Amino acid sequence: MTPRQVADYMFEQDYFSQWMNIKMIDVKENYCLIEMPIKKEMINGLRTVHGGVTFAFADSALAFSSNNTGDAAVALNCIINFTKAGKEGDVFRAESILVNDTRKTAVYDIKITNQNNELIAKFVGTVYKIGKKVTEL
């Protein structure tokens, strides 16, 4: 399977990413670019995007980029820095890039921006390679 086929296979089973209305823009080996419109159900009591939504969006980018070779990997550690509040009607983009790869772990940098290319959050995710194929799970 190509990286895009693996990501599509995962997405078909990922009802949470579907609920977030994520669209895959670009998928390459150990890389992805995804997009998500911000809807009212994602807004918190301060009328900004809930931090958990932004984290979950970045986590989806991590999943689609770190598993798209077909070898399954799960999040081991994730850190997020919020730099700008999102609002209803925004369109978020997350770009996930591999920065370090070892036999059992890998580290990805994920940048989340809005429709004006303003930085919303910076996310760093470390994954653990579990030794199984995505299609075996």
Side-chain angles (χ1 to χ4, degrees), residues 35-38 87 89-93 113-116 120:
E35 192 173 86
M36 173 184 73
I38 300 302
K87 303 281 187 187
D90 281 350
V91 177
F92 282 7
R93 277 193 162 202
T113 56
N114 65 11
Q115 68 279 1
N116 301 318
I120 297 296

Side-chain angles (χ1 to χ4, degrees), residues 100-107 129:
N100 188 58
D101 194 20
T102 70
R103 186 175 56 83
K104 292 303 281 179
T105 64
V107 178
K129 301 172 189 176

Side-chain angles (χ1 to χ4, degrees), residues 65-94:
S65 59
S66 67
N67 285 281
N68 71 27
T69 62
D71 296 317
V74 295
L76 186 61
N77 183 53
C78 300
I79 299 168
I80 193 166
N81 287 292
F82 301 101
T83 55
K84 183 174 177 64
K87 303 281 187 187
E88 184 179 351
D90 281 350
V91 177
F92 282 7
R93 277 193 162 202

Side-chain angles (χ1 to χ4, degrees), residues 107-133:
V107 178
Y108 289 79
D109 274 345
I110 298 163
K111 182 172 78 170
I112 299 171
T113 56
N114 65 11
Q115 68 279 1
N116 301 318
N117 206 31
E118 297 168 314
L119 185 66
I120 297 296
K122 182 71 173 18
F123 181 102
V124 177
T126 302
V127 296
Y128 177 74
K129 301 172 189 176
I130 64 173
K132 293 184 179 181
K133 296 291 185 187

Side-chain angles (χ1 to χ4, degrees), residues 37-43 47-49 86-92 115:
I38 300 302
K39 47 190 178 177
K40 73 176 183 173
E41 296 86 0
M42 299 172 169
I43 302 302
R47 295 199 284 185
T48 61
V49 176
K87 303 281 187 187
E88 184 179 351
D90 281 350
V91 177
F92 282 7
Q115 68 279 1

